[in-house]
Every structure is written in structure tokens, then in C-alpha cells.
Amino acid sequence: MAPALTLAIAQQKASGLISGNSNVVDAKVLELRCTSFDYPGTKIGQTDLVIAGFRRKLATIQNKSGTWSCKITEDQRGGVLNTIQSWIDLMHNPFNGVRLPSSAYVSTCVVQIQGAGDGKGRTLWLKGFYPIEYSVGNIDQSSSDAVEIDVKFNYDWWSETPTSLSALGV
């Protein structure tokens, strides 16, 4: 929740006083409404080494950054959309042009994957986490079906261990 999501929720609630659109959701609701997601990957860079005319590839740095995609079900009267859009507005507000420093919008995402029969699951820490894109499919107003939102998030690196107490922070 802190600081990015907390700031996004506060910003939406404040602007909602004017617009009447103040519905928001917290991290727990986002977790419960997330129906599918990508598993992050790792890439190893390579460099060429030529010895006596023979080319070899050598490993260089590990790159654990990427884009994490997930699908979130919206059934909170627009709260999920408002929260994600408000988070994006922290990065660059299209109304006034203000861009906040990354410390205001970058967070850590803890993904807990529940185990299938054995009860053991996995926990992933996505560091440098913030939304970069979302899209909403067709909305059928005559249907009572929930709306699905596809969201893409940036992450700078990820780990299956917290690596330190700081893994729970930014």
C-alpha cells in the first residue's frame, strides 16, 4: 500500500470531492480481483569473444526487469479503474503537467502464488513496480458481467526471496 497506492487513493478521494467519482480499492481488493498474471522472467546478456578467428558467446549481466501483465476484475463501481488511473496520474498528471519523483509512485509488489495440492506456494517480490498501461475491453451495459481490465506494470527486478527487510519497501 505504501507509498504509491496510498498516495493514489488519497489523490482520487480528493478529486472525487469535486467530481463525485471517489470510488477506490486497496491492495487487498486488487489482490482478490486479480484473476490471471504473467510469471516474470530473467534474461542473460551476452557478448562476443573472438579467439583465433573462432567466435564464442560469453554471459554478461543478468537482467530481471520487465513488464508484468495481469487481468483484474472490476466490480467495485469503478474503484479498480479509478485507483490504477490515479496511480498513473501520480507519474504525470495530464491536467496540470506535474510529474512526481519516482519515490512517490514506485512500489514493491508481493505476488503470492498458492500451491496446488501440496499447499506450498511461491512468493515473488517485484521491485520498482508501477503501472504503465491498462485497457478495458468492451462493456456491455445490458449485462451483469464484471468488467475485465488488462494492466501492465513495470518492474526493475524480481526475486523469490525478499533478499532483505528492504524488499518489503520500495
Side-chain angles (χ1 to χ4, degrees):
M1 280 292 295
L5 208 47
T6 302
L7 283 171
I9 289 169
Q11 175 179 263
Q12 184 63 34
K13 285 182 178 180
S15 67
L17 294 174
I18 298 167
S19 69
N21 184 10
S22 60
N23 294 330
V24 292
V25 297
D26 61 12
K28 191 66 172 170
V29 172
L30 287 174
E31 174 187 346
L32 293 172
R33 298 291 170 216
C34 183
T35 58
S36 65
F37 56 88
D38 292 343
Y39 197 91
T42 302
K43 302 167 275 217
I44 291 289
Q46 292 182 303
T47 187
D48 288 335
L49 175 65
V50 179
I51 301 174
F54 294 99
R55 184 176 145 239
R56 299 288 182 259
K57 292 266 190 186
L58 297 177
T60 60
I61 63 169
Q62 181 177 187
N63 180 356
K64 296 185 89 166
S65 67
T67 301
W68 187 69
S69 298
C70 69
K71 187 176 292 284
I72 302 174
T73 301
E74 169 69 89
D75 64 353
Q76 302 293 314
R77 298 183 331 253
V80 172
L81 280 172
N82 287 348
T83 303
I84 298 296
Q85 182 59 58
S86 184
W87 193 351
I88 290 172
D89 285 346
L90 289 174
M91 292 174 248
H92 175 248
N93 189 307
F95 177 72
N96 57 24
V98 171
R99 292 176 48 199
L100 293 182
S102 62
S103 60
Y105 63 81
V106 172
S107 191
T108 295
C109 176
V110 180
V111 181
Q112 295 175 323
I113 304 169
Q114 302 303 318
D118 61 4
K120 295 179 182 177
R122 296 177 86 90
T123 301
L124 308 175
W125 283 264
L126 305 178
K127 303 289 289 177
F129 187 82
Y130 58 89
I132 56 174
E133 178 182 342
Y134 74 86
S135 62
V136 181
N138 188 19
I139 299 174
D140 182 359
Q141 292 190 19
S142 64
S143 171
S144 62
D145 293 341
V147 174
E148 296 291 327
I149 305 167
D150 292 311
V151 186
K152 292 183 180 177
F153 293 89
N154 173 79
Y155 63 91
D156 292 333
W157 63 278
W158 69 277
S159 175
E160 289 185 358
T161 60
T163 64
S164 70
L165 292 176
S166 67
L168 299 176
V170 174

